[in-house]
Amino acid sequence: MSDDERDGVKLTNLDQPLFEGATKRDLVDYLDAVADRLVPVLANRPLSVIRILRGQDPFMQKNLPKYTPDWVKRHGMWAETSKRQVSYALCDDRRTLLWFANQRAVEYHPTLMTADVDAGPTHLVLDLDPPVGDDFAHVVKAAVLVRRALADSGLVGTVKTSGSKGVHIFVPLVPGQGFEDVAAATRALAVRAERLDPSVATTAYLVEDREGKVFLDSTRASGNTVAAAYSPRLRPGLTVSFPVAWDDLENVVPADFTVHTAPDLLGGKDPWAESMPEPQTLPADLVEHGHTIPIARVVAMHEGKRRARERDRKD
């Protein structure tokens, strides 16, 4: 088989620069090397990708283009923000992943639900985001707080680097738990983790209110997406969102994991699948608590408008 064709997918311009010293071949080779681990976390989930074409800024693609091959599986969903029906890809096999790689799709962001929407969210996710210029050690401290908050609620999660500057903490869920209940429980966990040490972590949605603390983002719920485990990211070095054992978290930084280093570090294993706990049912008291907490994005929107009016009055 020609190196320019794999699994029936013709690969073009492999030696063209892609991003930050990486070529398109680097991307294709990496995705092919981890396909048996990446495809399972993408399969049967509406997929958004971030592509970077020559001479253009990166952009997120949700709707499949008209030239998409017929063999790429797809799932239609109504997009409330754009008020239109979107045809999402379902990346269920290596062939589809290679086709995306040839389209210069670098980042892979599946939904936290499968195409069987009625089954509800498959995971509860907290996204920990450090302040600008902060080091990863601060994120690790915040992640420990989230782990304690989970344990206090009888829950167990697993962690991965985001591929950017923070981490994602995942809790797998028993099917059938409602979107609103999972979103509420996520808010409650973030608040409980913040209370354990408010000098380290914050749930403040507005950046100017975070005071140099790690942001516990509880908004990754419902139809939202999150970068998949093993997905490359458009960051210096073409980093990778990589699973890390809790006990090893303080000994790594996100830059350790790139498209160049990750395959050897995996060594034939699948640490994301191996570390994932059994699906769990959210405690009723956690859900109830969460429903008393306002949705951060909505609160921030109203507060932002209030502050804007205040500034206008002063001017």
Side-chain angles (χ1 to χ4, degrees):
M1 179 187 298
S2 167
D3 187 49
D4 292 341
E5 184 174 324
R6 305 183 198 180
D7 209 355
V9 177
K10 292 183 178 180
L11 305 169
T12 58
N13 303 313
L14 290 180
D15 295 317
Q16 282 184 352
L18 181 75
F19 183 79
E20 293 279 346
T23 65
K24 185 176 173 182
R25 185 184 300 276
D26 293 329
L27 175 69
V28 170
D29 286 348
Y30 167 75
L31 290 172
D32 203 6
V34 301
D36 59 341
R37 282 151 284 201
L38 178 54
V39 168
V41 299
L42 302 179
N44 199 36
R45 295 176 185 273
L47 178 65
S48 301
V49 297
I50 294 182
R51 297 172 62 193
I52 181 167
L53 305 184
R54 295 188 71 190
Q56 297 184 27
D57 291 332
F59 64 96
M60 177 166 278
Q61 176 183 291
K62 299 175 180 289
N63 206 28
L64 282 169
K66 293 180 180 179
Y67 56 79
T68 302
D70 292 340
W71 46 261
V72 173
K73 293 183 182 178
R74 56 204 77 200
H75 178 74
M77 286 177 58
W78 178 256
E80 190 60 35
T81 52
S82 57
K83 304 294 183 184
R84 62 171 181 153
Q85 188 76 3
V86 175
S87 180
Y88 288 89
L90 300 177
C91 187
D92 289 359
D93 51 37
R94 173 181 177 242
R95 188 184 187 190
T96 303
L97 183 63
L98 287 171
W99 179 79
F100 270 117
N102 194 55
Q103 298 296 308
R104 298 170 68 106
V106 177
E107 298 193 12
Y108 295 78
H109 296 249
T111 57
L112 295 173
M113 62 184 181
T114 66
D116 180 13
V117 178
D118 293 338
T122 58
H123 297 81
L124 178 155
V125 173
L126 277 165
D127 178 3
L128 278 56
D129 188 21
V132 175
D134 198 41
D135 62 38
F136 192 62
H138 201 170
V139 178
V140 174
K141 290 179 182 178
V144 171
L145 298 179
V146 173
R147 191 184 188 192
R148 283 175 53 192
L150 287 170
D152 290 345
S153 299
L155 300 170
V156 181
T158 193
V159 63
K160 65 183 180 71
T161 66
S162 67
S164 182
K165 297 178 180 179
V167 299
H168 297 147
I169 298 172
F170 274 59
V171 179
L173 300 175
V174 170
Q177 300 178 76
F179 288 102
E180 295 303 321
D181 284 347
V182 173
T186 311
R187 294 195 296 275
L189 283 167
V191 166
R192 293 181 182 190
E194 178 186 32
R195 288 175 179 171
L196 289 171
D197 193 341
S199 71
V200 170
T202 181
T203 57
Y205 194 81
L206 294 174
V207 174
E208 57 264 34
D209 293 343
R210 295 178 191 170
E211 301 175 337
K213 303 171 188 178
V214 175
F215 175 46
L216 308 180
D217 186 355
S218 61
T219 63
R220 304 285 184 169
S222 302
N224 287 344
T225 65
V226 66
Y230 308 117
S231 171
R233 303 299 303 273
L234 280 165
R235 304 293 187 274
L238 221 58
T239 50
V240 169
S241 181
F242 200 86
V244 180
W246 281 107
D247 292 342
D248 294 336
L249 199 56
E250 64 181 11
N251 301 317
V252 303
V253 293
D256 291 340
F257 312 108
T258 71
V259 296
H260 302 288
T261 64
D264 288 340
L265 291 171
L266 288 170
K269 296 183 178 180
D270 185 353
W272 190 238
E274 294 164 9
S275 67
M276 190 63 65
E278 290 297 313
Q280 297 154 69
T281 299
L282 297 170
D285 70 302
L286 186 71
V287 174
E288 185 178 354
H289 177 202
H291 280 299
T292 69
I293 302 170
I295 298 171
R297 185 181 289 114
V298 175
V299 172
M301 178 184 67
H302 291 302
E303 178 60 15
K305 290 180 179 178
R306 187 195 68 77
R307 293 181 188 182
R309 290 193 299 269
E310 185 69 22
R311 286 192 297 270
D312 288 343
R313 280 197 294 270
K314 289 180 179 179
D315 292 342

